[in-house]
Amino acid sequence: MKEMMTKKNIVNAVFIALFLVILFVPSAKAFLMQGLMEIGLFKPKTEPIAKGTPPADLSGIKFEDKTGKVTDLGSLKGKVIFINFWATWCPPCLAEMPSINKLYEQYKNDKDVVFIMVDADSDLAKAQQYMDKRSYQMPVYSVASNIPENLFKGALPTTIVFDKQGRLSYNESGAANYSSSKFIEFIEQLKGLKI
C-alpha cells in the first residue's frame, strides 16, 4: 500500500512539473502548440474579400530592417503583403513561426509576395538571433511609423495580409498554421487578382 502511494505521488509530481514547465517556459508552450497545429488545430480563417471593397491607403506605414532600410507599404502596391507582429518571448508567436517559415520558403523567390516579420519589441538583434538560431531566412523589421489601430491593436501574434490592390484581406490575432494548404490556396488567389 505504501509503495502504491509513493508511485502515485511520483506520477502526480511528474504531471505537476510538466504542467508548470508548459505554463512558465515559453519554448515548451510553443512546442505543445506546434503539436496541436500539426493535428489540425489553429487553422487560419480565410474569407474572400467583399466585392467593391476599396483599397487602403498604405502610404506612410513604415518598417525598418536591421540595415536601416525603411520600407513604406505604399511602395509595395501590386504585391501580396504578409505582415506578422511577433516577439521572442511570446509562446504563440514561437509556435506559429515554423509554419510561417515554411510559407516563406515557398514564396521567398516570388516577386509578387512580400514578407515583413515585425519584432514587437523593436530589438532587431535579439529577433535576428532567434531567426539565425533556427536557420529561418525571414526578414525581420521594427515599426518605423504609427500603425493604424484597425490593423494592429497590440495583441501578439497578429498576422495581416493585403492583396495586390492594397485591400486588407486577412487580419487575425493568435497563432495559426500558415503553411496549411487552405492558406496557401488563399495566397494564390490573392496573387491571381488583377490590379
Side-chain angles (χ1 to χ4, degrees):
M1 179 81 164
K2 194 173 190 179
E3 188 177 308
M4 250 174 81
M5 287 299 284
T6 304
K7 284 182 183 179
K8 186 176 180 182
N9 288 341
I10 290 172
V11 169
N12 286 341
V14 168
F15 278 123
I16 290 170
L18 279 172
F19 176 75
L20 291 174
V21 166
I22 290 170
L23 190 62
F24 293 111
V25 178
S27 58
K29 189 183 286 186
F31 181 75
L32 176 64
M33 291 178 77
Q34 285 173 2
L36 294 173
M37 283 180 190
E38 291 297 320
I39 61 170
L41 297 177
F42 301 103
K43 294 179 182 177
K45 299 174 192 125
T46 55
E47 296 174 11
I49 302 166
K51 291 191 184 226
T53 301
D57 179 12
L58 302 179
S59 298
I61 301 174
K62 299 176 184 177
F63 300 96
E64 184 176 352
D65 70 11
K66 63 183 178 183
T67 67
K69 180 183 174 202
V70 174
T71 299
D72 186 315
L73 291 187
S75 70
L76 299 175
K77 190 166 184 175
K79 298 178 184 303
V80 174
I81 307 167
F82 180 99
I83 303 172
N84 180 266
F85 292 89
W86 68 287
T88 57
W89 51 262
C90 165
C93 302
L94 304 181
E96 72 179 5
M97 202 60 70
S99 74
I100 295 173
N101 187 62
K102 203 171 185 181
L103 183 69
Y104 172 77
E105 287 296 322
Q106 182 165 344
Y107 289 104
K108 69 181 178 184
N109 296 319
D110 189 323
K111 63 179 178 45
D112 291 327
V113 182
V114 175
F115 284 77
I116 299 176
M117 302 298 294
V118 184
D119 176 42
D121 291 331
S122 294
D123 187 345
L124 291 181
K126 185 176 181 182
Q128 191 61 57
Q129 182 181 23
Y130 171 84
M131 293 291 190
D132 293 344
K133 184 176 179 183
R134 284 151 187 84
S135 300
Y136 295 158
Q137 304 284 311
M138 297 176 286
V140 178
Y141 293 82
S142 62
V143 174
S145 69
N146 288 328
I147 306 295
E149 193 174 311
N150 67 323
L151 296 181
F152 179 59
K153 294 176 177 60
L156 295 179
T158 293
T159 300
I160 302 167
V161 179
F162 292 98
D163 73 3
K164 292 166 85 173
Q165 295 178 1
R167 295 179 298 189
L168 183 61
S169 303
Y170 181 85
N171 186 343
E172 291 291 327
S173 296
N177 179 1
Y178 292 107
S179 62
S180 70
S181 58
K182 185 176 178 183
F183 197 81
I184 291 168
E185 182 180 309
F186 172 69
I187 295 294
E188 287 298 318
Q189 287 172 353
L190 296 181
K191 279 180 51 183
L193 293 174
K194 304 278 188 245
I195 58 168

